Amino acid sequence: MKIDVIRPGELGKAEIDAWREMQHATLRLGNPFLSPEFTVAMGEVCAEARVAVVSEQDGPVGFFPFERHPGGVGTALGAWVSLCQGVVHAPGAEFDAEALLRACGLHVWEFGCMVDGQKWFQPFEVLRQEAVVLDLADGYAAYLDGLRERSPKFLKSTLYKERKLGRDAGELTFDFAVRDEEQFRLLRSWKSAQYQRMGRPDRFGRAWVVELAERLHAIDTPDFAGPLSMLYCDGKPVAGHFGLRSDTILIGWFPAYDPEFAKYSPGLIQHLRMAEAAAAAGLRSMDLGIGTGSEYKDALRSRGEPVSEGCVRRRSAGAAAYWLRRTPVRRARQFILDSPALYGAADRAMKRYGNLRARLKTR
């Protein structure tokens, strides 16, 4: 087995074609965050982006996207925004985690949303959670029937608010793939304001995230696209979402709405319209990411898909030093996640902090 480490922009057509075939051969690897398009776009905004191309005599058998930082510290590619990570590989391929890291010049490699089935990394998992999936394989009507059985009050309330919004503010329309850059900027401004209200770091406060999103939004092919979806009332945008899609799955990434219409829950209406459009486009599922503490995700879900967090470590002094620095933080975080009371208290504290910052800025 041969391992070559290159920059994403150095991938050739033959390698990208092989990458795509691997995604088509194994359904769980079809996530757009595991696509060559996301990897190449990250390479254009991140100097630390690399790809390990794992080959045997007949050609590539795996692709491992990662970021290489000083001191031999590696992270998942675009870890701050990526919702799916791992090795894209040929069916039946086998890997040695320590040999892979050694070839990449890494002592450690951190992951936060590892796709299921990566058995070579499983010994290094420290936390397993579930991503929320909406099953659209049998069409939107079948999904809606299932939602009506699982969450009847939620669906009834959302449909009522949809009708009321239409009566109060004007006819509702929806566009699954908006190309307008001004509306894309509007969505980002809504999302930044939401991060501030919640006391969370603003993803769009980082120039590289904005550039990445714009590059992905510009792509629209059968295998990969960055669709911007918008919900309108009498022609005025009231909610939107920017995500990624492959030929089979739509990823929920950056949903947001105009706070002026908050009482109508336009974000929930947006999600139902988006699921309907995705099913009509032939997509088999929507993945909304990890659902911990999210009531709307719990209500919308058809099933869960396992994802894991952890840190792969070589038997080296550099890995040992890194482990000593990071382990107490990880244990504290997991302790909070495992306690609903503590998680709720932490979430409320973050929101109070966000509201306080917002009030201070207006003075």
PDB file of all heavy atoms in Angstrom, residues 205-241:
ATOM      1  N   GLY A 205     -18.461  35.054  10.870  1.00  0.00           N
ATOM      2  CA  GLY A 205     -17.528  36.094  11.282  1.00  0.00           C
ATOM      3  C   GLY A 205     -16.113  35.803  10.818  1.00  0.00           C
ATOM      4  O   GLY A 205     -15.219  36.649  10.971  1.00  0.00           O
ATOM      5  N   ARG A 206     -15.898  34.612  10.271  1.00  0.00           N
ATOM      6  CA  ARG A 206     -14.585  34.223   9.741  1.00  0.00           C
ATOM      7  C   ARG A 206     -14.598  34.348   8.221  1.00  0.00           C
ATOM      8  O   ARG A 206     -15.459  33.763   7.546  1.00  0.00           O
ATOM      9  CB  ARG A 206     -14.261  32.777  10.122  1.00  0.00           C
ATOM     10  CG  ARG A 206     -14.256  32.497  11.623  1.00  0.00           C
ATOM     11  CD  ARG A 206     -13.042  33.074  12.308  1.00  0.00           C
ATOM     12  NE  ARG A 206     -13.019  32.776  13.728  1.00  0.00           N
ATOM     13  CZ  ARG A 206     -12.479  31.692  14.273  1.00  0.00           C
ATOM     14  NH1 ARG A 206     -11.903  30.789  13.475  1.00  0.00           N
ATOM     15  NH2 ARG A 206     -12.507  31.497  15.569  1.00  0.00           N
ATOM     16  N   ALA A 207     -13.634  35.096   7.694  1.00  0.00           N
ATOM     17  CA  ALA A 207     -13.601  35.348   6.251  1.00  0.00           C
ATOM     18  C   ALA A 207     -13.505  34.060   5.449  1.00  0.00           C
ATOM     19  O   ALA A 207     -14.104  33.941   4.367  1.00  0.00           O
ATOM     20  CB  ALA A 207     -12.439  36.282   5.916  1.00  0.00           C
ATOM     21  N   TRP A 208     -12.758  33.065   5.947  1.00  0.00           N
ATOM     22  CA  TRP A 208     -12.579  31.839   5.175  1.00  0.00           C
ATOM     23  C   TRP A 208     -13.873  31.040   5.071  1.00  0.00           C
ATOM     24  O   TRP A 208     -14.112  30.371   4.057  1.00  0.00           O
ATOM     25  CB  TRP A 208     -11.449  30.986   5.740  1.00  0.00           C
ATOM     26  CG  TRP A 208     -11.722  30.286   7.043  1.00  0.00           C
ATOM     27  CD1 TRP A 208     -11.418  30.740   8.292  1.00  0.00           C
ATOM     28  CD2 TRP A 208     -12.338  28.999   7.233  1.00  0.00           C
ATOM     29  NE1 TRP A 208     -11.813  29.821   9.251  1.00  0.00           N
ATOM     30  CE2 TRP A 208     -12.362  28.750   8.621  1.00  0.00           C
ATOM     31  CE3 TRP A 208     -12.853  28.040   6.365  1.00  0.00           C
ATOM     32  CZ2 TRP A 208     -12.898  27.577   9.173  1.00  0.00           C
ATOM     33  CZ3 TRP A 208     -13.390  26.868   6.899  1.00  0.00           C
ATOM     34  CH2 TRP A 208     -13.397  26.657   8.284  1.00  0.00           C
ATOM     35  N   VAL A 209     -14.749  31.139   6.104  1.00  0.00           N
ATOM     36  CA  VAL A 209     -16.031  30.436   6.040  1.00  0.00           C
ATOM     37  C   VAL A 209     -16.924  31.084   4.992  1.00  0.00           C
ATOM     38  O   VAL A 209     -17.599  30.392   4.214  1.00  0.00           O
ATOM     39  CB  VAL A 209     -16.724  30.417   7.420  1.00  0.00           C
ATOM     40  CG1 VAL A 209     -18.096  29.744   7.317  1.00  0.00           C
ATOM     41  CG2 VAL A 209     -15.861  29.688   8.445  1.00  0.00           C
ATOM     42  N   VAL A 210     -16.942  32.419   4.954  1.00  0.00           N
ATOM     43  CA  VAL A 210     -17.734  33.126   3.942  1.00  0.00           C
ATOM     44  C   VAL A 210     -17.240  32.765   2.541  1.00  0.00           C
ATOM     45  O   VAL A 210     -18.035  32.456   1.647  1.00  0.00           O
ATOM     46  CB  VAL A 210     -17.658  34.651   4.153  1.00  0.00           C
ATOM     47  CG1 VAL A 210     -18.359  35.387   3.007  1.00  0.00           C
ATOM     48  CG2 VAL A 210     -18.282  35.037   5.495  1.00  0.00           C
ATOM     49  N   GLU A 211     -15.918  32.771   2.352  1.00  0.00           N
ATOM     50  CA  GLU A 211     -15.370  32.432   1.041  1.00  0.00           C
ATOM     51  C   GLU A 211     -15.685  30.990   0.664  1.00  0.00           C
ATOM     52  O   GLU A 211     -16.044  30.690  -0.489  1.00  0.00           O
ATOM     53  CB  GLU A 211     -13.861  32.653   1.025  1.00  0.00           C
ATOM     54  CG  GLU A 211     -13.247  32.425  -0.350  1.00  0.00           C
ATOM     55  CD  GLU A 211     -11.744  32.665  -0.396  1.00  0.00           C
ATOM     56  OE1 GLU A 211     -11.180  33.165   0.605  1.00  0.00           O
ATOM     57  OE2 GLU A 211     -11.137  32.339  -1.435  1.00  0.00           O
ATOM     58  N   LEU A 212     -15.571  30.082   1.623  1.00  0.00           N
ATOM     59  CA  LEU A 212     -15.901  28.680   1.364  1.00  0.00           C
ATOM     60  C   LEU A 212     -17.356  28.540   0.942  1.00  0.00           C
ATOM     61  O   LEU A 212     -17.666  27.865  -0.061  1.00  0.00           O
ATOM     62  CB  LEU A 212     -15.634  27.842   2.619  1.00  0.00           C
ATOM     63  CG  LEU A 212     -16.077  26.376   2.558  1.00  0.00           C
ATOM     64  CD1 LEU A 212     -15.228  25.595   1.554  1.00  0.00           C
ATOM     65  CD2 LEU A 212     -15.991  25.731   3.951  1.00  0.00           C
ATOM     66  N   ALA A 213     -18.262  29.176   1.694  1.00  0.00           N
ATOM     67  CA  ALA A 213     -19.688  29.087   1.374  1.00  0.00           C
ATOM     68  C   ALA A 213     -19.971  29.640  -0.017  1.00  0.00           C
ATOM     69  O   ALA A 213     -20.755  29.056  -0.783  1.00  0.00           O
ATOM     70  CB  ALA A 213     -20.507  29.834   2.427  1.00  0.00           C
ATOM     71  N   GLU A 214     -19.337  30.747  -0.363  1.00  0.00           N
ATOM     72  CA  GLU A 214     -19.568  31.335  -1.685  1.00  0.00           C
ATOM     73  C   GLU A 214     -19.051  30.422  -2.797  1.00  0.00           C
ATOM     74  O   GLU A 214     -19.687  30.299  -3.854  1.00  0.00           O
ATOM     75  CB  GLU A 214     -18.903  32.707  -1.757  1.00  0.00           C
ATOM     76  CG  GLU A 214     -19.617  33.758  -0.896  1.00  0.00           C
ATOM     77  CD  GLU A 214     -18.917  35.106  -0.897  1.00  0.00           C
ATOM     78  OE1 GLU A 214     -17.716  35.145  -1.261  1.00  0.00           O
ATOM     79  OE2 GLU A 214     -19.555  36.096  -0.528  1.00  0.00           O
ATOM     80  N   ARG A 215     -17.902  29.802  -2.575  1.00  0.00           N
ATOM     81  CA  ARG A 215     -17.371  28.877  -3.579  1.00  0.00           C
ATOM     82  C   ARG A 215     -18.290  27.666  -3.754  1.00  0.00           C
ATOM     83  O   ARG A 215     -18.540  27.207  -4.879  1.00  0.00           O
ATOM     84  CB  ARG A 215     -15.969  28.422  -3.187  1.00  0.00           C
ATOM     85  CG  ARG A 215     -14.902  29.508  -3.337  1.00  0.00           C
ATOM     86  CD  ARG A 215     -13.545  29.013  -2.868  1.00  0.00           C
ATOM     87  NE  ARG A 215     -12.523  30.039  -3.020  1.00  0.00           N
ATOM     88  CZ  ARG A 215     -11.830  30.264  -4.132  1.00  0.00           C
ATOM     89  NH1 ARG A 215     -12.050  29.509  -5.196  1.00  0.00           N
ATOM     90  NH2 ARG A 215     -10.931  31.228  -4.190  1.00  0.00           N
ATOM     91  N   LEU A 216     -18.807  27.134  -2.657  1.00  0.00           N
ATOM     92  CA  LEU A 216     -19.683  25.966  -2.736  1.00  0.00           C
ATOM     93  C   LEU A 216     -21.032  26.324  -3.342  1.00  0.00           C
ATOM     94  O   LEU A 216     -21.630  25.524  -4.076  1.00  0.00           O
ATOM     95  CB  LEU A 216     -19.853  25.362  -1.339  1.00  0.00           C
ATOM     96  CG  LEU A 216     -18.575  24.793  -0.712  1.00  0.00           C
ATOM     97  CD1 LEU A 216     -18.831  24.391   0.728  1.00  0.00           C
ATOM     98  CD2 LEU A 216     -18.042  23.612  -1.513  1.00  0.00           C
ATOM     99  N   HIS A 217     -21.525  27.530  -3.038  1.00  0.00           N
ATOM    100  CA  HIS A 217     -22.799  27.972  -3.603  1.00  0.00           C
ATOM    101  C   HIS A 217     -22.725  28.084  -5.125  1.00  0.00           C
ATOM    102  O   HIS A 217     -23.742  27.924  -5.828  1.00  0.00           O
ATOM    103  CB  HIS A 217     -23.178  29.323  -2.984  1.00  0.00           C
ATOM    104  CG  HIS A 217     -24.478  29.870  -3.468  1.00  0.00           C
ATOM    105  ND1 HIS A 217     -24.651  31.183  -3.854  1.00  0.00           N
ATOM    106  CD2 HIS A 217     -25.693  29.282  -3.659  1.00  0.00           C
ATOM    107  CE1 HIS A 217     -25.893  31.375  -4.243  1.00  0.00           C
ATOM    108  NE2 HIS A 217     -26.546  30.241  -4.131  1.00  0.00           N
ATOM    109  N   ALA A 218     -21.537  28.333  -5.639  1.00  0.00           N
ATOM    110  CA  ALA A 218     -21.356  28.495  -7.087  1.00  0.00           C
ATOM    111  C   ALA A 218     -21.373  27.163  -7.833  1.00  0.00           C
ATOM    112  O   ALA A 218     -21.446  27.145  -9.064  1.00  0.00           O
ATOM    113  CB  ALA A 218     -20.049  29.230  -7.366  1.00  0.00           C
ATOM    114  N   ILE A 219     -21.291  26.044  -7.113  1.00  0.00           N
ATOM    115  CA  ILE A 219     -21.249  24.720  -7.759  1.00  0.00           C
ATOM    116  C   ILE A 219     -22.662  24.164  -7.890  1.00  0.00           C
ATOM    117  O   ILE A 219     -23.441  24.167  -6.925  1.00  0.00           O
ATOM    118  CB  ILE A 219     -20.379  23.747  -6.944  1.00  0.00           C
ATOM    119  CG1 ILE A 219     -18.955  24.293  -6.781  1.00  0.00           C
ATOM    120  CG2 ILE A 219     -20.343  22.380  -7.629  1.00  0.00           C
ATOM    121  CD1 ILE A 219     -18.091  23.463  -5.851  1.00  0.00           C
ATOM    122  N   ASP A 220     -22.991  23.661  -9.046  1.00  0.00           N
ATOM    123  CA  ASP A 220     -24.300  23.043  -9.278  1.00  0.00           C
ATOM    124  C   ASP A 220     -24.158  21.972 -10.342  1.00  0.00           C
ATOM    125  O   ASP A 220     -24.254  22.232 -11.536  1.00  0.00           O
ATOM    126  CB  ASP A 220     -25.326  24.094  -9.699  1.00  0.00           C
ATOM    127  CG  ASP A 220     -26.739  23.522  -9.791  1.00  0.00           C
ATOM    128  OD1 ASP A 220     -26.941  22.359  -9.390  1.00  0.00           O
ATOM    129  OD2 ASP A 220     -27.639  24.236 -10.265  1.00  0.00           O
ATOM    130  N   THR A 221     -23.885  20.744  -9.915  1.00  0.00           N
ATOM    131  CA  THR A 221     -23.739  19.605 -10.808  1.00  0.00           C
ATOM    132  C   THR A 221     -24.642  18.478 -10.310  1.00  0.00           C
ATOM    133  O   THR A 221     -25.137  18.528  -9.172  1.00  0.00           O
ATOM    134  CB  THR A 221     -22.282  19.102 -10.848  1.00  0.00           C
ATOM    135  OG1 THR A 221     -21.969  18.481  -9.577  1.00  0.00           O
ATOM    136  CG2 THR A 221     -21.307  20.246 -11.103  1.00  0.00           C
ATOM    137  N   PRO A 222     -24.878  17.442 -11.116  1.00  0.00           N
ATOM    138  CA  PRO A 222     -25.719  16.334 -10.637  1.00  0.00           C
ATOM    139  C   PRO A 222     -25.176  15.665  -9.375  1.00  0.00           C
ATOM    140  O   PRO A 222     -25.953  15.179  -8.550  1.00  0.00           O
ATOM    141  CB  PRO A 222     -25.722  15.365 -11.826  1.00  0.00           C
ATOM    142  CG  PRO A 222     -25.487  16.235 -13.015  1.00  0.00           C
ATOM    143  CD  PRO A 222     -24.539  17.293 -12.547  1.00  0.00           C
ATOM    144  N   ASP A 223     -23.841  15.631  -9.205  1.00  0.00           N
ATOM    145  CA  ASP A 223     -23.252  14.934  -8.067  1.00  0.00           C
ATOM    146  C   ASP A 223     -23.065  15.818  -6.836  1.00  0.00           C
ATOM    147  O   ASP A 223     -22.938  15.307  -5.718  1.00  0.00           O
ATOM    148  CB  ASP A 223     -21.886  14.362  -8.453  1.00  0.00           C
ATOM    149  CG  ASP A 223     -22.012  13.167  -9.381  1.00  0.00           C
ATOM    150  OD1 ASP A 223     -22.769  12.245  -9.044  1.00  0.00           O
ATOM    151  OD2 ASP A 223     -21.362  13.161 -10.438  1.00  0.00           O
ATOM    152  N   PHE A 224     -23.034  17.141  -7.040  1.00  0.00           N
ATOM    153  CA  PHE A 224     -22.746  18.033  -5.909  1.00  0.00           C
ATOM    154  C   PHE A 224     -23.274  19.427  -6.204  1.00  0.00           C
ATOM    155  O   PHE A 224     -23.155  19.931  -7.325  1.00  0.00           O
ATOM    156  CB  PHE A 224     -21.240  18.109  -5.662  1.00  0.00           C
ATOM    157  CG  PHE A 224     -20.860  18.970  -4.479  1.00  0.00           C
ATOM    158  CD1 PHE A 224     -20.644  18.402  -3.239  1.00  0.00           C
ATOM    159  CD2 PHE A 224     -20.726  20.347  -4.611  1.00  0.00           C
ATOM    160  CE1 PHE A 224     -20.301  19.181  -2.147  1.00  0.00           C
ATOM    161  CE2 PHE A 224     -20.391  21.141  -3.518  1.00  0.00           C
ATOM    162  CZ  PHE A 224     -20.176  20.553  -2.284  1.00  0.00           C
ATOM    163  N   ALA A 225     -23.844  20.060  -5.165  1.00  0.00           N
ATOM    164  CA  ALA A 225     -24.278  21.453  -5.291  1.00  0.00           C
ATOM    165  C   ALA A 225     -24.356  22.076  -3.906  1.00  0.00           C
ATOM    166  O   ALA A 225     -24.425  21.376  -2.888  1.00  0.00           O
ATOM    167  CB  ALA A 225     -25.634  21.549  -5.994  1.00  0.00           C
ATOM    168  N   GLY A 226     -24.346  23.412  -3.892  1.00  0.00           N
ATOM    169  CA  GLY A 226     -24.546  24.175  -2.660  1.00  0.00           C
ATOM    170  C   GLY A 226     -25.817  24.987  -2.776  1.00  0.00           C
ATOM    171  O   GLY A 226     -25.762  26.195  -3.016  1.00  0.00           O
ATOM    172  N   PRO A 227     -26.991  24.372  -2.610  1.00  0.00           N
ATOM    173  CA  PRO A 227     -28.248  25.089  -2.832  1.00  0.00           C
ATOM    174  C   PRO A 227     -28.609  26.044  -1.691  1.00  0.00           C
ATOM    175  O   PRO A 227     -28.498  25.699  -0.518  1.00  0.00           O
ATOM    176  CB  PRO A 227     -29.290  23.964  -2.945  1.00  0.00           C
ATOM    177  CG  PRO A 227     -28.703  22.839  -2.159  1.00  0.00           C
ATOM    178  CD  PRO A 227     -27.224  22.942  -2.316  1.00  0.00           C
ATOM    179  N   LEU A 228     -29.039  27.233  -2.067  1.00  0.00           N
ATOM    180  CA  LEU A 228     -29.616  28.204  -1.142  1.00  0.00           C
ATOM    181  C   LEU A 228     -31.123  28.142  -1.326  1.00  0.00           C
ATOM    182  O   LEU A 228     -31.630  28.414  -2.423  1.00  0.00           O
ATOM    183  CB  LEU A 228     -29.102  29.614  -1.448  1.00  0.00           C
ATOM    184  CG  LEU A 228     -29.820  30.778  -0.768  1.00  0.00           C
ATOM    185  CD1 LEU A 228     -29.594  30.742   0.742  1.00  0.00           C
ATOM    186  CD2 LEU A 228     -29.370  32.120  -1.348  1.00  0.00           C
ATOM    187  N   SER A 229     -31.860  27.761  -0.286  1.00  0.00           N
ATOM    188  CA  SER A 229     -33.319  27.676  -0.354  1.00  0.00           C
ATOM    189  C   SER A 229     -33.920  28.858   0.407  1.00  0.00           C
ATOM    190  O   SER A 229     -33.420  29.235   1.461  1.00  0.00           O
ATOM    191  CB  SER A 229     -33.809  26.369   0.268  1.00  0.00           C
ATOM    192  OG  SER A 229     -33.260  25.251  -0.396  1.00  0.00           O
ATOM    193  N   MET A 230     -34.987  29.428  -0.131  1.00  0.00           N
ATOM    194  CA  MET A 230     -35.612  30.578   0.497  1.00  0.00           C
ATOM    195  C   MET A 230     -37.131  30.428   0.526  1.00  0.00           C
ATOM    196  O   MET A 230     -37.743  29.987  -0.455  1.00  0.00           O
ATOM    197  CB  MET A 230     -35.243  31.877  -0.226  1.00  0.00           C
ATOM    198  CG  MET A 230     -33.762  32.219  -0.232  1.00  0.00           C
ATOM    199  SD  MET A 230     -33.063  32.565   1.413  1.00  0.00           S
ATOM    200  CE  MET A 230     -33.791  34.175   1.753  1.00  0.00           C
ATOM    201  N   LEU A 231     -37.718  30.837   1.652  1.00  0.00           N
ATOM    202  CA  LEU A 231     -39.167  30.891   1.823  1.00  0.00           C
ATOM    203  C   LEU A 231     -39.583  32.363   1.781  1.00  0.00           C
ATOM    204  O   LEU A 231     -38.979  33.200   2.463  1.00  0.00           O
ATOM    205  CB  LEU A 231     -39.566  30.269   3.168  1.00  0.00           C
ATOM    206  CG  LEU A 231     -41.047  30.298   3.524  1.00  0.00           C
ATOM    207  CD1 LEU A 231     -41.831  29.308   2.644  1.00  0.00           C
ATOM    208  CD2 LEU A 231     -41.255  29.952   5.009  1.00  0.00           C
ATOM    209  N   TYR A 232     -40.622  32.672   0.976  1.00  0.00           N
ATOM    210  CA  TYR A 232     -41.059  34.055   0.795  1.00  0.00           C
ATOM    211  C   TYR A 232     -42.511  34.228   1.238  1.00  0.00           C
ATOM    212  O   TYR A 232     -43.331  33.317   1.096  1.00  0.00           O
ATOM    213  CB  TYR A 232     -40.969  34.460  -0.680  1.00  0.00           C
ATOM    214  CG  TYR A 232     -39.625  34.279  -1.314  1.00  0.00           C
ATOM    215  CD1 TYR A 232     -39.301  33.103  -1.994  1.00  0.00           C
ATOM    216  CD2 TYR A 232     -38.658  35.284  -1.254  1.00  0.00           C
ATOM    217  CE1 TYR A 232     -38.064  32.922  -2.589  1.00  0.00           C
ATOM    218  CE2 TYR A 232     -37.418  35.123  -1.853  1.00  0.00           C
ATOM    219  CZ  TYR A 232     -37.124  33.931  -2.514  1.00  0.00           C
ATOM    220  OH  TYR A 232     -35.896  33.758  -3.102  1.00  0.00           O
ATOM    221  N   CYS A 233     -42.784  35.418   1.749  1.00  0.00           N
ATOM    222  CA  CYS A 233     -44.148  35.834   2.044  1.00  0.00           C
ATOM    223  C   CYS A 233     -44.441  37.069   1.199  1.00  0.00           C
ATOM    224  O   CYS A 233     -43.784  38.103   1.398  1.00  0.00           O
ATOM    225  CB  CYS A 233     -44.280  36.203   3.518  1.00  0.00           C
ATOM    226  SG  CYS A 233     -45.408  35.147   4.366  1.00  0.00           S
ATOM    227  N   ASP A 234     -45.375  36.950   0.263  1.00  0.00           N
ATOM    228  CA  ASP A 234     -45.689  38.066  -0.623  1.00  0.00           C
ATOM    229  C   ASP A 234     -44.412  38.589  -1.291  1.00  0.00           C
ATOM    230  O   ASP A 234     -44.220  39.802  -1.448  1.00  0.00           O
ATOM    231  CB  ASP A 234     -46.383  39.184   0.156  1.00  0.00           C
ATOM    232  CG  ASP A 234     -47.079  40.185  -0.761  1.00  0.00           C
ATOM    233  OD1 ASP A 234     -47.446  39.793  -1.896  1.00  0.00           O
ATOM    234  OD2 ASP A 234     -47.225  41.354  -0.362  1.00  0.00           O
ATOM    235  N   GLY A 235     -43.508  37.667  -1.641  1.00  0.00           N
ATOM    236  CA  GLY A 235     -42.264  38.023  -2.317  1.00  0.00           C
ATOM    237  C   GLY A 235     -41.135  38.445  -1.404  1.00  0.00           C
ATOM    238  O   GLY A 235     -40.012  38.660  -1.871  1.00  0.00           O
ATOM    239  N   LYS A 236     -41.387  38.563  -0.097  1.00  0.00           N
ATOM    240  CA  LYS A 236     -40.353  38.984   0.846  1.00  0.00           C
ATOM    241  C   LYS A 236     -39.728  37.767   1.515  1.00  0.00           C
ATOM    242  O   LYS A 236     -40.452  36.918   2.055  1.00  0.00           O
ATOM    243  CB  LYS A 236     -40.953  39.899   1.913  1.00  0.00           C
ATOM    244  CG  LYS A 236     -39.948  40.326   2.978  1.00  0.00           C
ATOM    245  CD  LYS A 236     -40.605  41.173   4.050  1.00  0.00           C
ATOM    246  CE  LYS A 236     -39.579  41.551   5.129  1.00  0.00           C
ATOM    247  NZ  LYS A 236     -40.168  42.404   6.194  1.00  0.00           N
ATOM    248  N   PRO A 237     -38.389  37.642   1.530  1.00  0.00           N
ATOM    249  CA  PRO A 237     -37.755  36.495   2.207  1.00  0.00           C
ATOM    250  C   PRO A 237     -38.036  36.509   3.710  1.00  0.00           C
ATOM    251  O   PRO A 237     -37.873  37.543   4.371  1.00  0.00           O
ATOM    252  CB  PRO A 237     -36.260  36.706   1.945  1.00  0.00           C
ATOM    253  CG  PRO A 237     -36.183  37.630   0.778  1.00  0.00           C
ATOM    254  CD  PRO A 237     -37.392  38.519   0.889  1.00  0.00           C
ATOM    255  N   VAL A 238     -38.471  35.371   4.244  1.00  0.00           N
ATOM    256  CA  VAL A 238     -38.733  35.274   5.686  1.00  0.00           C
ATOM    257  C   VAL A 238     -37.920  34.161   6.346  1.00  0.00           C
ATOM    258  O   VAL A 238     -37.765  34.153   7.566  1.00  0.00           O
ATOM    259  CB  VAL A 238     -40.236  35.062   5.973  1.00  0.00           C
ATOM    260  CG1 VAL A 238     -41.037  36.271   5.507  1.00  0.00           C
ATOM    261  CG2 VAL A 238     -40.757  33.788   5.309  1.00  0.00           C
ATOM    262  N   ALA A 239     -37.407  33.232   5.560  1.00  0.00           N
ATOM    263  CA  ALA A 239     -36.577  32.151   6.107  1.00  0.00           C
ATOM    264  C   ALA A 239     -35.750  31.570   4.974  1.00  0.00           C
ATOM    265  O   ALA A 239     -36.105  31.697   3.793  1.00  0.00           O
ATOM    266  CB  ALA A 239     -37.427  31.058   6.754  1.00  0.00           C
ATOM    267  N   GLY A 240     -34.645  30.960   5.330  1.00  0.00           N
ATOM    268  CA  GLY A 240     -33.794  30.368   4.304  1.00  0.00           C
ATOM    269  C   GLY A 240     -32.864  29.320   4.876  1.00  0.00           C
ATOM    270  O   GLY A 240     -32.808  29.093   6.090  1.00  0.00           O
ATOM    271  N   HIS A 241     -32.136  28.699   3.984  1.00  0.00           N
ATOM    272  CA  HIS A 241     -31.203  27.650   4.382  1.00  0.00           C
ATOM    273  C   HIS A 241     -30.128  27.504   3.309  1.00  0.00           C
ATOM    274  O   HIS A 241     -30.438  27.497   2.109  1.00  0.00           O
ATOM    275  CB  HIS A 241     -31.932  26.317   4.547  1.00  0.00           C
ATOM    276  CG  HIS A 241     -31.000  25.145   4.708  1.00  0.00           C
ATOM    277  ND1 HIS A 241     -30.553  24.396   3.634  1.00  0.00           N
ATOM    278  CD2 HIS A 241     -30.409  24.618   5.808  1.00  0.00           C
ATOM    279  CE1 HIS A 241     -29.747  23.453   4.074  1.00  0.00           C
ATOM    280  NE2 HIS A 241     -29.629  23.574   5.377  1.00  0.00           N
TER     281      HIS A 241
END
